[in-house]
Amino acid sequence: MNDPAIAVDGLTKQFRGGTRALDGLSLRVSRGGIYALLGPNGAGKTTLIRILATLLRPDGGTALVAGHDVVAEAGRVRQLIGLAGQFAAVDDHLTGRENITMIGRLYGLTRRAATSRAAEILTRIGLDTAADRQVKTYSGGMRRRIDLAASLIGRPQVLFLDEPTTGVDPASRHDLWSLVRDLAADGTTVLLTTQYLDEADQLADRIAVIDHGRLLTEGTATELKDRTGAAVVELDLPPHQLDAAMTALQPLAPRRDRDRILLPAPDGPLTLRHAMGLLDQADLTPTDIALHGPTLDDVFLALTRHNTSRSARSTA
Ligand SMILES: Nc1ncnc2c1ncn2[C@@H]1O[C@H](COP(=O)(O)OP(=O)(O)OP(=O)(O)O)[C@@H](O)[C@H]1O
Ligand SMILES: [Mg+2]
């Protein structure tokens, strides 16, 4: 029972044309709970999920899901998993209920069992009022939910969600989050990918940051933030002063985030004082100032920027 839900060891995958999507990736996801994969575009997240879901064969290394090898025991793995995200299995011309019932039948349920399981799942994901409309009339958020519903028919032990809330409005996002939390509370292990750092921060028990098919770091959100260490100074300035401020602050490695300038603040208040001195010399005055601990965005930027410069050779 202490086996991990997912055990990945030295996984490699190279696509034709030379892209090394996975480059010796290893990670463990323990049973229950929510695990997030973070990484910039092209990091290898979807490739990993497709391998774990038996849709793609790795070139090397091993991957076990619920103790079963994804290559040698692909059929067994398929019975234990659910997958939702970029590979929507639903038919636009059918209603939500028809889709879910049909997938239940494909799973070998009797007509009666499929009907009642569909009703149960549609209620659970909050689609019961829209259940009898064609899926083509659904909004983006409703589509994400019907995808998720389809992945739940088989009562998966391990659920893969590839960008479950991309393009979903904030209210629907929160609904989806609470649904995912409920599933995890019932004992399902959830592995999700996301482009949204706040999603990983709020939803995931543990987070892996990957880039160029390799694991950069892994841990709870708090551990990742603590490891990055440095606090951050945030400065708001009038828009017409931003360029001049970026120049004045060069010694402190500033980074621009819309109308705001962010500075790594290894020396906390001393960095803040240094920044204020530089701005003062340039006759610039911030409209707002803050000093705070690192966010997951800071962690992500620090890790993936560093990795980009260090590993540019690997694409050769
Ligand atoms: N079928 C394919 N053929 C060739 N190259 C591929 C294929 N699928 C993915 N790749 C490449 O493998 C790398 C990893 O892609 P992957 O889709 O796993 O990234 P990702 O982390 O999911 O990115 P995103 O955040 O954009 O979804 C990328 O360089 C991509 O171009
Ligand atoms: Mg992807």
Side-chain angles (χ1 to χ4, degrees):
M1 226 23 230
N2 282 331
D3 296 354
I6 298 169
V8 171
D9 276 294
L11 212 57
T12 58
K13 179 72 194 179
Q14 181 144 15
F15 287 105
R16 252 195 271 170
T19 306
R20 194 173 298 167
L22 295 180
D23 190 9
L25 186 78
S26 302
L27 60 85
R28 286 206 161 20
V29 177
S30 54
R31 288 189 191 238
I34 304 170
Y35 195 101
L37 292 175
L38 281 180
N41 293 130
K45 306 178 297 292
T46 297
T47 303
L48 175 61
I49 293 229
R50 294 186 65 204
I51 289 173
L52 294 174
T54 78
L55 298 173
L56 190 68
R57 283 173 79 104
D59 297 334
T62 58
L64 305 183
V65 173
H68 300 282
D69 188 281
V70 297
V71 178
E73 303 171 86
R76 184 78 190 106
V77 169
R78 262 177 237 138
Q79 294 170 341
L80 299 171
I81 62 168
L83 170 65
Q86 290 169 304
F87 324 101
V90 298
D91 183 334
D92 264 10
H93 297 287
L94 300 180
T95 67
R97 189 185 309 280
E98 285 164 351
N99 265 292
I100 303 306
T101 310
M102 186 186 73
I103 295 167
R105 297 283 284 153
L106 292 176
Y107 267 87
L109 300 181
T110 62
R111 180 171 301 281
R112 192 179 195 171
T115 305
S116 75
R117 178 91 180 118
E120 177 194 325
I121 293 175
L122 288 163
T123 305
R124 169 148 211 192
I125 62 161
L127 272 184
D128 34 3
T129 55
D132 297 308
R133 272 165 44 195
Q134 283 183 308
V135 168
K136 68 178 177 196
T137 69
Y138 284 15
S139 69
M142 290 161 81
R143 268 169 190 277
R144 288 288 171 175
R145 276 193 267 176
I146 201 77
D147 279 354
L148 187 55
S151 73
L152 296 178
I153 297 272
R155 300 181 198 276
Q157 282 185 26
V158 180
L159 183 61
F160 300 110
L161 305 176
D162 198 5
E163 300 195 21
T165 65
T166 297
V168 169
D169 71 49
S172 305
R173 252 176 114 204
H174 281 93
D175 291 348
L176 278 164
W177 287 359
S178 59
L179 187 62
V180 171
R181 283 194 191 103
D182 287 350
L183 291 167
D186 286 351
T188 308
T189 305
V190 179
L191 178 69
L192 62 87
T193 73
T194 181
Q195 298 289 343
Y196 304 113
L197 301 179
D198 63 325
E199 180 159 288
D201 207 351
Q202 302 211 19
L203 198 55
D205 304 305
R206 297 186 75 82
I207 297 168
V209 182
I210 67 174
D211 197 8
H212 301 288
R214 280 173 290 192
L215 183 73
L216 299 184
T217 193
E218 199 270 353
T220 64
T222 310
E223 284 165 358
L224 300 194
K225 291 173 198 170
D226 287 351
R227 248 174 257 160
T228 302
V232 177
V233 170
E234 272 184 23
L235 300 164
D236 289 352
L237 287 111
H240 68 277
Q241 292 192 2
L242 282 166
D243 288 338
M246 284 295 287
T247 308
L249 293 167
Q250 263 332 294
L252 294 176
R255 139 170 95 81
R256 182 91 171 254
D257 182 16
R258 296 194 198 103
D259 285 351
R260 184 166 282 175
I261 294 177
L262 306 175
L263 309 169
D267 303 320
L270 289 178
T271 307
L272 181 58
R273 196 164 78 182
H274 190 178
M276 293 309 292
L278 292 172
L279 289 175
D280 204 37
Q281 277 169 30
D283 237 347
L284 301 165
T285 313
T287 51
D288 202 2
I289 306 166
L291 175 67
H292 63 70
T295 63
L296 214 47
D297 291 72
D298 302 317
V299 173
F300 187 77
L301 281 170
L303 284 169
T304 54
R305 264 188 184 168
H306 175 61
N307 192 52
T308 301
S309 52
R310 196 188 48 191
S311 65
R313 56 179 170 76
S314 70
T315 53

